[in-house]
Amino acid sequence: MNIFKITSLAGVLLFASCQSKSQNSTSQTTVSTENIDKSQVTWNPSIDDALAQAKASGKLLFVECYSPTCPVCQSIEPFFKKTEVATKYNSSFVNYKLDVGNAEQVKFLNARNIYLPSFPQFLYFDGDGKIVHQAEVTPDVKTIVTAAETALSLDKRAANYKARYDKGDRSLDLLVQLAAYARLTKDTTLAITAADEVFKIYPKDQLNSETSWKLTKKCVTDMENGFAVHWFNNVATAAAFEKKDGHAGNENNILGGIIQSSLYSQRGQNYGTAKLNLVKKYMNLTGAGQYIENVTWEFDTKALIREGKPEQALAIGEKMAAKFGTNGQSLVYIARVFNDFYPNKNYAPKATAWLNKAKGLLKEDKFLAEYYFESAKLNQKAGDLVKAKADAQQARNLASKAQVDLTKFSALIEKL
C-alpha cells in the first residue's frame, strides 16, 4: 500500500463518513428549504416527540450526542448557527441534542444497544428509531454538512457498510468505518473482524505512527488485534501523542478499555491462564497493576478449574475471602462462583466458612435471600438435601418479602 493511501486516512479518522465524491449513490429526498429557519439548527426538546415527528414527516432523526464539558463539543456549537448547516439540517432532519451525562436522555441509546466510544457523535435514525448512520465531525461547515449528506445517501450511509463489505469491498477507508460502526452498534464479531482486516493491510513499518494510534482508538476492541499488541508494548509513544493533543494519560484509558472489552466478553470468559497472564501484563503496562487481583480472580478461578487445577482455584477463593472478609455480599459471591464451577464437593468446608461469616454481615432481606440460595446449592453439592431444601425455601420466602424476581428461587426448590 502506498503512502498516499495511508495519508488519506486523516479524513476518515477525523470524520468517519467522508466518502469519495465519485461514488454513485441514491439519496433520500429532502424537503424544500422554503419557510425554514436558516439562521440556526432547530432542536426538538423531546426525543420521543422528535422521533414521532421524523416518522410522520418521512425525515431522519438527527441526534447530536455531546457533553456540556467537552471542549470539542463546544467548539462545534457555533457551526449550528451557520446558514449552510442550519439549512441542511432543518430541511432534511428532525434534530435533537442528547446530553451524554443525562441518564434519562441516554436511555434512548441504551434501548437501541448503542455504545458511544467518544463524543461528540452525530447519529442518524430512521422514523422507527433504527440507527442508519454515525459520524464524527470536526468544527467546520464542510464536515458537518457532509455528514448530513452521507446520512441521506442510501448507498454511502453506515447502514450499508456491511453490504459493501459482503460484496468484496476491502478498501482501507471502508474497513475503518465498518469497524467503528460495528463497535458503536455492539456488533462485536464484526468489529473484531473489520479491525483485524485493517491491521492486515496496514503497512507494518508505520505501526508506530500517530495514524496507527488513531486507528487503534477508533477501531480496536480486542487485545489480540495487531494494533493493540503493538501499542501495549509501546505505551510511551502513545502517551506522547495524547500529551501533544492535550489529553495526557488518555492512552491508559484507551488501552484499558481494550482490555476491559476483551476480558468481559464471551471470548474472555474462556481465556486460559496463559491468556490471563497476558491480561495482567497489559494491565501493568497501562498503570492498572494495583487492580489485577480484584479484576482477574474469578477468571483465574474458572480457568484453573477448566485446566484441571481445582486446588489452585480454591486457594484463590481463600485469598479473596480473606481480602473481602468484612463484606457479606462479596463472600456470598465468592461462594457462588465455587458452587457453580467447582468439579466436586471438596470445596464445601471452606465455602461453608465463607457463608457462615457472610450471614452475620447481611441485614437486608434481598441479600439474605442470596445467602440462603447459595447455602442451599452448597448443601445440595455436599449431599445434605434436607438442609438444602430448607435453605431454598427460606431463600424464596426472603426474596418474596424483598419483592424480587422469584424465578430462580422457585426453580431451585423444584429441582430439589
Side-chain angles (χ1 to χ4, degrees), residues 38 54 56 66 93 95 98 100 103 130 156 210 227 269 280-281 289 336 391 415:
K38 300 178 184 179
Y66 79 103
F93 307 100
N95 308 300
L98 189 150
V100 297
K130 181 179 179 181
K156 295 180 181 180
E210 189 168 7
F227 286 111
Q269 295 300 317
K280 295 169 190 176
K281 173 187 173 182
R336 177 184 303 166
D391 283 346
K415 183 179 179 181

Side-chain angles (χ1 to χ4, degrees), residues 108-130:
F108 178 82
L109 302 179
N110 293 340
R112 288 156 180 79
N113 208 30
I114 291 172
Y115 163 72
L116 296 181
S118 62
F119 44 84
Q121 288 279 343
F122 281 22
L123 306 181
Y124 304 83
F125 300 84
D126 65 20
D128 293 321
K130 181 179 179 181

Side-chain angles (χ1 to χ4, degrees), residues 141-210:
V141 169
K142 181 179 179 181
T143 58
I144 294 172
V145 171
T146 304
E149 291 173 344
T150 307
L152 293 168
S153 167
L154 300 179
D155 292 339
K156 295 180 181 180
R157 62 173 52 162
N160 198 44
Y161 292 162
K162 178 64 164 52
R164 290 167 55 191
Y165 174 83
D166 289 341
K167 289 178 181 177
D169 187 343
R170 294 297 186 273
S171 64
L172 188 58
D173 286 3
L174 176 69
L175 291 172
V176 170
Q177 294 181 74
L178 177 62
Y181 185 64
R183 182 184 181 195
L184 181 127
T185 55
K186 295 186 181 180
D187 188 338
T188 305
T189 301
L190 182 58
I192 292 173
T193 298
D196 284 346
E197 294 218 30
V198 172
F199 180 74
K200 285 179 185 176
I201 64 176
Y202 191 82
K204 304 307 180 281
D205 61 351
Q206 296 181 42
L207 273 179
N208 218 38
S209 68
E210 189 168 7

Side-chain angles (χ1 to χ4, degrees), residues 84-394:
E84 190 177 350
V85 173
T87 300
K88 173 59 71 174
Y89 279 81
N90 289 340
S91 63
S92 303
F93 307 100
V94 178
N95 308 300
Y96 180 78
K97 291 178 72 67
L98 189 150
D99 181 350
V100 297
N102 186 314
E104 192 61 32
Q105 294 181 21
V106 171
K107 286 180 180 178
F108 178 82
L109 302 179
N110 293 340
R112 288 156 180 79
N113 208 30
I114 291 172
Y115 163 72
L116 296 181
S118 62
F119 44 84
Q121 288 279 343
F122 281 22
L123 306 181
Y124 304 83
F125 300 84
D126 65 20
D128 293 321
K130 181 179 179 181
I131 189 167
V132 298
H133 191 61
Q134 164 259 347
E136 297 168 4
V137 302
T138 52
D140 63 82
V141 169
K142 181 179 179 181
T143 58
I144 294 172
V145 171
T146 304
E149 291 173 344
T150 307
L152 293 168
S153 167
L154 300 179
D155 292 339
K156 295 180 181 180
R157 62 173 52 162
N160 198 44
Y161 292 162
K162 178 64 164 52
R164 290 167 55 191
Y165 174 83
D166 289 341
K167 289 178 181 177
D169 187 343
R170 294 297 186 273
S171 64
L172 188 58
D173 286 3
L174 176 69
L175 291 172
V176 170
Q177 294 181 74
L178 177 62
Y181 185 64
R183 182 184 181 195
L184 181 127
T185 55
K186 295 186 181 180
D187 188 338
T188 305
T189 301
L190 182 58
I192 292 173
T193 298
D196 284 346
E197 294 218 30
V198 172
F199 180 74
K200 285 179 185 176
I201 64 176
Y202 191 82
K204 304 307 180 281
D205 61 351
Q206 296 181 42
L207 273 179
N208 218 38
S209 68
E210 189 168 7
T211 296
S212 166
W213 173 240
K214 287 181 177 180
L215 281 170
T216 304
K217 291 167 64 174
K218 187 177 182 69
C219 302
V220 177
T221 59
D222 182 20
M223 71 177 198
E224 296 181 68
N225 178 275
F227 286 111
V229 172
H230 174 82
W231 289 109
F232 278 123
N233 290 289
N234 291 275
V235 177
T237 305
F241 291 142
E242 289 298 315
K243 185 175 181 179
K244 178 177 73 90
D245 287 342
H247 305 125
N250 191 47
E251 69 285 350
N252 289 332
N253 295 330
I254 299 299
L255 294 171
I258 293 173
I259 294 171
Q260 186 176 39
S261 65
S262 300
L263 193 59
Y264 294 99
S265 66
Q266 189 57 50
R267 61 194 184 284
Q269 295 300 317
N270 296 311
Y271 281 171
T273 51
K275 191 66 64 64
L276 290 167
N277 285 336
L278 190 59
V279 168
K280 295 169 190 176
K281 173 187 173 182
Y282 288 163
M283 289 183 71
N284 273 317
L285 290 172
T286 55
Q290 68 268 37
Y291 305 114
I292 288 175
E293 190 172 69
N294 290 358
V295 169
T296 65
W297 77 267
E298 184 177 347
F299 295 92
D300 282 328
T301 296
K302 295 175 184 177
L304 287 167
I305 290 172
R306 287 196 302 270
E307 294 170 8
K309 302 172 183 176
E311 296 83 5
Q312 292 183 36
L314 191 53
I316 292 176
E318 277 282 82
K319 185 176 182 180
M320 299 310 293
K323 184 173 185 176
F324 294 103
T326 59
N327 187 314
Q329 293 176 61
S330 294
L331 291 169
V332 170
Y333 187 83
I334 294 167
R336 177 184 303 166
V337 171
F338 283 84
N339 277 341
D340 290 346
F341 294 98
Y342 209 78
N344 54 52
K345 64 181 182 180
N346 294 346
Y347 76 103
K350 293 187 183 299
T352 299
W354 304 339
L355 287 176
N356 286 342
K357 191 171 184 180
K359 186 178 181 182
L361 299 169
L362 300 170
K363 306 300 179 186
E364 296 183 44
D365 287 339
K366 63 180 179 180
F367 298 133
L368 283 166
E370 294 298 332
Y371 158 79
Y372 279 105
F373 184 76
E374 294 306 326
S375 181
K377 287 160 59 181
L378 176 58
N379 281 305
Q380 179 190 24
K381 290 193 79 169
D384 190 342
L385 293 184
V386 173
K387 184 71 165 62
K389 290 178 181 178
D391 283 346
Q393 187 61 57
Q394 179 70 342

